[in-house]
Amino acid sequence: MSKIFGNAFFELMKIRAGRELGSDEVILTGKDLMFKTPFLVGETVAEALAARAVAANDLWELRTGRRQKISVDVSAAAATCLGGTDMTQKCNEKGQYEPVPTAPEFAHMVSVTQPWKAADDRWFLPHFNLPHLQERVLGVLKCENTPEGVAKAVSQWKAEDLDAAIAGVNATGGMVFTPEEWLKHPQGAYLASVPVVEITKIADSSPEPLPNGSEASEPLSGIRVLDLTRILAGPTAGIGMAEHGADVLMVTSPSLPQVPAFIRDTSHGKRSCFLDYKDADQAERLKELAKEADVFIEGYRPHCMEVHGFGPEDLAALRPGIVYISVNCFGSGGPYASRAGWDQVAQAVTGMCHTQGIAEDAGIPKLSPIFLCDFLTGFLGTFGAMVALARRAREGGSYRVQVSLCQSAMLIQRQGLIDQFEEAPGKLSPDEFEKYAVCDNNTVYGNLKTLGPVIRMSETSPKWSNTTPELGSSKPEWLPRTN
């Protein structure tokens, strides 16, 4: 490899457990100073994307006997962690592309979802995304939904008591720990004891060749993916599968709350249908789809899918050879395993907020300027899915892949820190953006120009084959398998 890789790439290659790579198979280019944060965002994300490309290369070799050359630019990789206005531009009436404004509702959510000082001088981050979860948090705090109201309410609680109260009503939030405190905490200690991507064989089945064989045009050609996720991490895992050629069918219900900008930015290359797994008839249709699926991605609260008959063992019995991807906040076990959470919660509990605040000399914990845990977790989910598909092809079996926001936060912190990041630009230059931009016209959101896939492979560079869909615009059925 032409560039010396950091620990993240080799950590993921250990999970892959394949044969050693050629010295020139993977190249990283560019530099890491993109965001005003001390964390090595660019290099870590670039290494995760490079590992994902290696997993795609393994599938390509199974199909064709050939391996491809891979390159990832560090700055472009970092920019994949941008969302909303910085990732997507919309064509105005003059034919000019301009950033899409941030929705006022989302800006308000960000303003209150911050670390606030508690009565015992600890810090606590309550999370206000999605109306039903917001109501639960406000029901505990008993305050107005304003930064001033939330700050005053949190200041009346001891942080540990507030943490227990928020968890007790199935709302989301987290205490701010230092990195050292988190690794001593039973949850942090548990996560440190397991791989950052957990791939577990959960049932036996016969080896299963990849669809379309050597005639396939992309590594995941013919692979069918059910994507039952929303809001960044899970959808990012799904879009990664689409970028390598899979038929990805998003499944949601019109009654589920969503963040429109995140739907827009994580649906490229997918199709979308409505099915409510809580409705008996629609659940039966989802099971019929699952019988013909290769990958099932879910990002619901832990154990929710098991209650409704769509847990990993359920689907392994229904469809031997399934690869089941679970995306959550706190990982596969430990005392917090049943809790739900978001990117900001993972940053708070794992020590990222503490480190960011110190690095900025702010005197208070602060969130990083990007949803780093979300995007990194999505990239790791795609990586894990493809590693499992390769194992299925060689050895047979059904597999569960588990990734989490806290594990991703811990991975980024294992890579070290950057000094003097104050002059970081915060986004790609216009020329760099244009190099990777993809125009997507006539979408339900208008004519868009979006930062596209940044991995480059010598034969099958990732791409988006479909326009950005409207939710529910496709029938709940699979496309014919084509090359």
Side-chain angles (χ1 to χ4, degrees):
M1 286 157 280
S2 296
K3 182 185 183 301
I4 297 175
F5 281 73
N7 293 331
F9 183 78
F10 294 108
E11 190 171 332
L12 295 174
M13 289 301 97
K14 184 177 179 180
I15 293 168
R16 164 185 170 259
R19 72 177 189 182
E20 187 174 345
L21 304 180
S23 60
D24 62 346
E25 181 168 323
V26 185
I27 297 173
L28 296 190
T29 60
K31 60 182 180 179
D32 197 336
L33 196 58
M34 173 65 70
F35 300 113
K36 291 179 172 62
T37 180
F39 300 109
L40 282 162
V41 175
E43 287 191 13
T44 307
V45 173
E47 291 180 22
L49 288 172
R52 193 189 97 179
V54 169
N57 223 4
D58 291 340
L59 296 175
W60 189 246
E61 184 179 27
L62 282 172
R63 292 184 183 278
T64 67
R66 302 190 304 272
R67 295 194 72 83
Q68 304 182 48
K69 304 297 184 186
I70 298 164
S71 65
V72 183
D73 181 82
V74 171
S75 295
T80 61
C81 295
L82 291 165
T85 58
D86 296 301
M87 179 184 285
T88 301
Q89 300 175 3
K90 183 177 179 180
C91 191
N92 62 24
E93 295 178 353
K94 298 179 181 179
Q96 302 167 331
Y97 284 96
E98 57 188 8
V100 181
T102 300
E105 299 83 2
F106 185 78
H108 176 75
M109 184 279 290
V110 171
S111 74
V112 289
T113 301
Q114 297 289 336
W116 304 104
K117 195 172 187 178
D120 54 0
D121 290 333
R122 297 298 302 251
W123 294 78
F124 186 85
L125 182 144
H127 203 290
F128 291 86
N129 201 16
L130 301 185
H132 67 295
L133 296 176
Q134 173 181 284
E135 289 177 11
R136 293 175 191 173
V137 172
L138 292 174
V140 171
L141 293 176
K142 295 180 172 53
C143 67
E144 293 185 2
N145 188 6
T146 64
E148 296 79 14
V150 174
K152 182 177 180 180
V154 171
S155 72
Q156 307 304 306
W157 288 78
K158 290 183 178 180
E160 192 169 304
D161 293 342
L162 181 55
D163 185 63
I166 293 289
V169 296
N170 285 331
T172 54
M175 289 179 59
V176 174
F177 294 109
T178 69
E180 296 76 19
E181 288 173 336
W182 177 246
L183 291 176
K184 292 178 181 178
H185 188 282
Q187 187 63 39
Y190 170 78
L191 292 178
S193 74
V194 298
V196 66
V197 180
E198 296 181 64
I199 305 175
T200 308
K201 187 177 182 180
I202 57 174
D204 292 323
S205 65
S206 300
E208 192 168 332
L210 294 165
N212 303 334
S214 62
E215 300 302 316
S217 58
E218 297 176 77
L220 291 178
S221 292
I223 292 293
R224 291 169 169 170
V225 180
L226 284 171
D227 181 356
L228 275 73
T229 65
R230 54 184 171 151
I231 308 180
L232 287 187
T236 297
I239 199 173
M241 303 291 285
E243 288 174 0
H244 290 289
D247 178 16
V248 180
L249 182 60
M250 295 189 296
V251 180
T252 189
S253 166
S255 64
L256 279 176
Q258 303 271 4
V259 177
F262 293 163
I263 301 170
R264 180 195 68 216
D265 289 344
T266 61
S267 299
H268 308 290
K270 304 178 186 179
R271 297 181 299 121
S272 172
C273 73
F274 286 143
L275 284 176
D276 186 347
Y277 61 78
K278 296 180 182 179
D279 177 277
D281 291 338
Q282 294 181 57
E284 194 59 36
R285 180 58 193 147
L286 182 57
K287 287 180 180 178
E288 291 301 313
L289 289 170
K291 287 179 182 178
E292 299 183 64
D294 300 284
V295 179
F296 185 95
I297 312 174
E298 62 88 15
Y300 286 93
R301 185 180 290 271
H303 310 301
C304 175
M305 290 285 92
E306 287 90 333
V307 171
H308 296 281
F310 290 96
E313 285 75 19
D314 300 315
L315 292 194
L318 186 68
R319 197 293 192 206
I322 195 76
V323 174
Y324 190 104
I325 316 298
S326 294
V327 182
N328 62 36
C329 183
F330 288 102
S332 61
Y336 288 0
S338 63
R339 294 189 180 191
W342 306 89
D343 181 291
Q344 298 96 325
V345 175
Q347 290 195 42
V349 299
T350 63
M352 287 185 66
C353 284
H354 175 82
T355 301
Q356 181 77 36
I358 289 176
E360 292 189 27
D361 197 24
I364 60 173
K366 295 194 70 174
L367 292 164
S368 75
I370 50 173
F371 297 119
L372 173 58
C373 303
D374 271 321
F375 287 104
L376 185 54
T377 301
F379 300 148
L380 295 177
T382 307
F383 164 78
M386 291 193 289
V387 170
L389 285 170
R391 292 183 188 176
R392 185 186 77 170
R394 294 190 301 262
E395 309 164 14
S398 298
Y399 294 86
R400 187 176 191 185
V401 177
Q402 297 180 83
V403 292
S404 73
L405 303 175
C406 285
Q407 279 280 33
S408 294
M410 293 167 71
L411 176 67
I412 190 75
Q413 291 179 90
R414 286 196 288 273
Q415 311 314 308
L417 301 173
I418 297 174
D419 293 324
Q420 298 179 340
F421 54 83
E422 294 82 3
E423 301 303 318
K427 61 182 179 180
L428 289 174
S429 70
D431 287 344
E432 290 174 312
F433 177 82
E434 288 297 330
K435 180 178 178 181
Y436 295 97
V438 174
C439 289
D440 193 1
N441 296 326
N442 302 316
T443 77
V444 66
Y445 308 100
N447 293 344
L448 304 177
K449 182 184 287 186
T450 303
L451 181 71
V454 302
I455 295 171
R456 294 293 182 258
M457 300 178 70
S458 55
E459 294 185 57
T460 63
S461 285
K463 63 180 184 296
W464 299 330
S465 298
N466 305 326
T467 190
T468 305
E470 182 178 3
L471 281 185
S473 58
S474 293
K475 295 180 179 179
E477 60 188 25
W478 294 116
L479 297 174
R481 293 189 196 270
T482 61
N483 295 340

